Each structure stands twice: as structure tokens, then as C-alpha cells.
């Protein structure tokens, strides 16, 4: 049976003379491959739809025996021309896509990944976003959306709201902050922990509440940015089992 679904085109390749395979992300199926037979010749069924970084409404079916997925036709919703023309922005989008692929997202979690990627591409297309922020903000936000969602504004021990004092730490494994009072009274965090300033904890809370549109012009104190980005990488490595190494995400 055919279904109509919105999809982001992640990768495209040709096989045989006129046929195309497409790697897609949709809100209900996650990432999967589908075939567009005759796709590279069809002027009518796939106008502008079979390019990476396109947002398309596809009619999706399956082969007679049900062993692979077929794209019947598509209507282009947006092809992000400015994002595609700018190699730096394309690189940011590809980095985000590689992360979603590496996470091996379940269909039940694909709605938030799809929305996050679409909003990120829309923000890049409108002219915002930088390499210094968007990739790690995207990783943080996807991890939070997947349910690894710490409360950065209270001490996980005593429940005290984070103030302005120095001497906070953040425990990666349980995803909780510890206040200087609890730490000095000998209640250390279990497992991997990092010292963190109250300002960085507030910035992490901002990231948690933010949407990609808010990342267009984000600015952070250099030290806050360093602490937040390092903590996000440790958090992602521990909870999602991934780290960025030499242009690829690796299972750790
Ligand atoms: Zn405390």
C-alpha cells in the first residue's frame, strides 16, 4: 500500500542507467533506503526531488514481494538553495546528518530527529548558524530530545536551585549537578564528574529549552562555551556511546 510522507533526502546514488537509490529520514520511519526506478530520467514524477538536502513529499510504496521500498513520486517542498550553495553551511548540515545516522535512531524517536534537522536546515538557509556552535548544539539537543534530559538548574543532591557561587560539579552518568555545599560536606558525585560554573549550567539549561532558530546568532563567553561543549561531548559519549573522531562518529 502506498503512503504519502514528508522526508528529508540525506544521500542519493545512481545504479543502472536511470535508477536512483535514496537515503531518507522521515518522522515515522527513521532513516531508510528506497529506490526511485527511472528516477534520473523522470521529468514528471520527481522534479527536483532527488538531490541531497531536499525536503520532499514522497509517495512511498513497496516492491511486489515487499522486500524493498520504492518511491513512486515526489513533490518538492523546499530545496534549501542558499544552504546548498554555501560549502560551510552544507558541511554543518552533513555533520548533523552523520550524527543522526551514527545514533541509529529508532522509528519511535525519529520524529524529534526529523524536526530538529529540518529546523536546523531552515535556520542555516535563513543565513544564521556557525561551525563553532551548531554541530555540538545539535548533538546536545538530540540527546535531550531522546530523553537524556538533565535538570541543570538544581543540585541533584539537596534540590537547591543553582545560584551564583563557584564550586559546582556536574556528574555525567546520572546527569545531575552537585552544589558546593553538598560537595564540601563530603557527598561527592559518583563516577565521571566535571567542575562547572553556574554560568555554564545556565547556558546548558538555555540550550535544553532552545530551538534551532535560537542558534542563528548565539553568542557565549568563551569559557562558558568551552565548558558546555566539553560537557556535551562527554554526555553524548557516555549516554549515546558516540564520539567525534577524525571526521566520523565512532562508537565508544
Ligand atoms: Zn546540594
Amino acid at each position: 500500500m502506498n503512503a504519502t510522507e514528508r522526508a528529508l533526502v540525506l544521500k542519493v546514488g545512481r545504479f543502472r542507467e536511470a535508477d536512483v537509490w535514496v537515503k531518507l529520514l522521515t518522522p515515522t520511519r527513521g532513516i531508510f533506503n528506497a529506490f526511485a526506478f527511472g528516477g534520473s530520467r523522470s521529468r514528471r514524477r520527481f522534479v527536483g526531488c532527488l538531490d541531497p538536502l531536499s525536503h520532499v513529499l514522497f509517495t512511498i510504496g513497496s516492491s511486489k514481494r515487499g522486500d524493498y521500498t520504492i518511491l513512486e513520486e515526489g513533490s518538492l517542498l523546499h530545496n534549501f538553495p542558499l544552504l546548498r550553495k554555501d560549502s560551510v553551511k552544507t558541511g554543518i548540515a552533513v555533520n548533523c546528518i552523520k550524527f543522526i545516522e551514527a545514533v541509529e535512531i529508532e522509528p519511535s524517536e525519529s520524529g524529534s530527529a526529523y524536526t530538529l534537522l529540518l529546523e536546523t536546515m531552515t535556520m542555516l538557509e535563513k543565513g544564521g548558524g556557525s561551525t563553532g556552535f551548531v554541530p555540538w548544539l545539535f548533538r546536545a539537543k538530540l540527546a535531550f530530545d531522546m530523553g537524556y534530559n538533565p535538570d541543570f538548574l538544581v543540585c541533584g543532591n539537596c534540590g537547591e536551585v543553582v545560584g551564583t557561587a563557584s564550586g559546582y560539579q556536574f556528574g555525567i552518568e546520572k546527569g545531575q549537578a552537585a552544589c558546593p555545599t553538598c560537595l564540601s560536606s563530603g557527598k561527592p558525585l559518583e563516577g565521571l564528574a566535571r567542575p562547572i560554573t553556574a554560568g555554564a549550567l545556565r547556558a546548558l539549561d538555555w540550550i535544553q529549552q532552545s530551538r534551532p532558530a535560537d542558534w542563528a546568532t548565539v553568542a557565549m563567553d568563551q569559557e562558558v562555551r568551552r565548558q558546555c561543549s566539553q560537557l556535551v561531548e562527554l554526555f553524548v559519549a557516555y549516554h549515546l556511546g558516540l564520539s567525534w573522531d577524525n571526521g566520523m562518529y565512532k562508537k565508544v
Side-chain angles (χ1 to χ4, degrees):
M1 210 180 77
N2 291 346
T4 304
E5 195 167 4
R6 284 163 194 263
L8 287 162
V9 176
L10 307 183
K11 280 182 198 157
V12 176
R14 280 174 77 152
F15 69 104
R16 295 196 302 230
E17 204 178 328
D19 302 334
V20 179
W21 62 263
V22 187
K23 188 179 243 186
L24 302 166
L25 170 64
T26 78
T28 65
R29 303 177 192 223
I31 292 178
F32 63 99
N33 290 316
F35 298 106
F37 292 109
S40 69
R41 285 211 183 123
S42 174
R43 294 259 170 263
R44 197 166 51 82
R45 288 186 300 135
F46 296 107
V47 183
C49 297
L50 301 178
D51 293 313
L53 305 180
S54 298
H55 188 212
V56 179
L57 186 66
F58 277 118
T59 304
I60 304 172
S62 60
S63 62
K64 281 206 183 77
R65 289 193 300 175
D67 46 359
Y68 51 87
T69 306
I70 294 174
L71 301 176
E72 307 284 356
E73 61 182 345
S75 326
L76 183 66
L77 300 171
H78 198 340
N79 64 357
F80 300 95
L82 303 177
L83 160 56
R84 209 184 293 218
K85 215 160 46 182
D86 181 329
S87 62
V88 172
K89 296 201 166 185
T90 305
I92 296 173
V94 168
N95 183 292
C96 296
I97 289 168
K98 281 185 182 173
F99 185 69
I100 298 178
E101 287 181 304
V103 166
E104 295 173 358
I105 205 140
E106 299 285 329
S108 62
E109 294 163 335
S110 55
S112 55
Y114 165 87
T115 305
L116 198 59
L117 183 59
L118 182 59
E119 288 183 17
T120 301
M121 288 167 59
T122 303
M123 180 272 295
L124 293 167
E125 175 72 13
K126 284 182 177 164
S130 69
T131 48
F133 281 102
V134 178
W136 66 270
L137 292 177
F138 185 90
R139 296 197 277 280
K141 193 67 187 166
L142 188 62
F144 298 154
D145 282 356
M146 288 173 73
Y148 304 100
N149 214 5
D151 188 338
F152 292 104
L153 294 186
V154 295
C155 171
N157 237 326
C158 67
E160 194 73 28
V161 174
V162 168
T164 53
S166 57
Y168 283 93
Q169 289 194 17
F170 192 84
I172 305 296
E173 294 171 29
K174 287 193 173 164
Q176 61 185 37
C179 74
T181 312
C182 286
L183 290 167
S184 65
S185 65
K187 294 178 194 143
L189 284 161
E190 285 168 41
L192 184 62
R194 281 285 180 277
I196 191 155
T197 61
L201 286 169
R202 269 189 277 278
L204 286 160
D205 178 69
W206 177 83
I207 293 166
Q208 205 170 30
Q209 315 298 329
S210 70
R211 294 303 315 174
D214 303 320
W215 307 343
T217 55
V218 61
M220 272 180 208
D221 173 87
Q222 201 168 341
E223 177 58 18
V224 166
R225 170 171 138 181
R226 190 189 64 79
Q227 287 185 27
C228 291
S229 61
Q230 283 187 357
L231 196 116
V232 164
E233 301 306 359
L234 287 170
F235 192 79
V236 164
Y238 183 81
H239 292 283
L240 301 183
L242 294 170
S243 72
W244 177 251
D245 180 24
N246 216 0
M248 293 177 65
Y249 291 99
K250 296 227 169 97
K251 290 270 175 197
V252 290

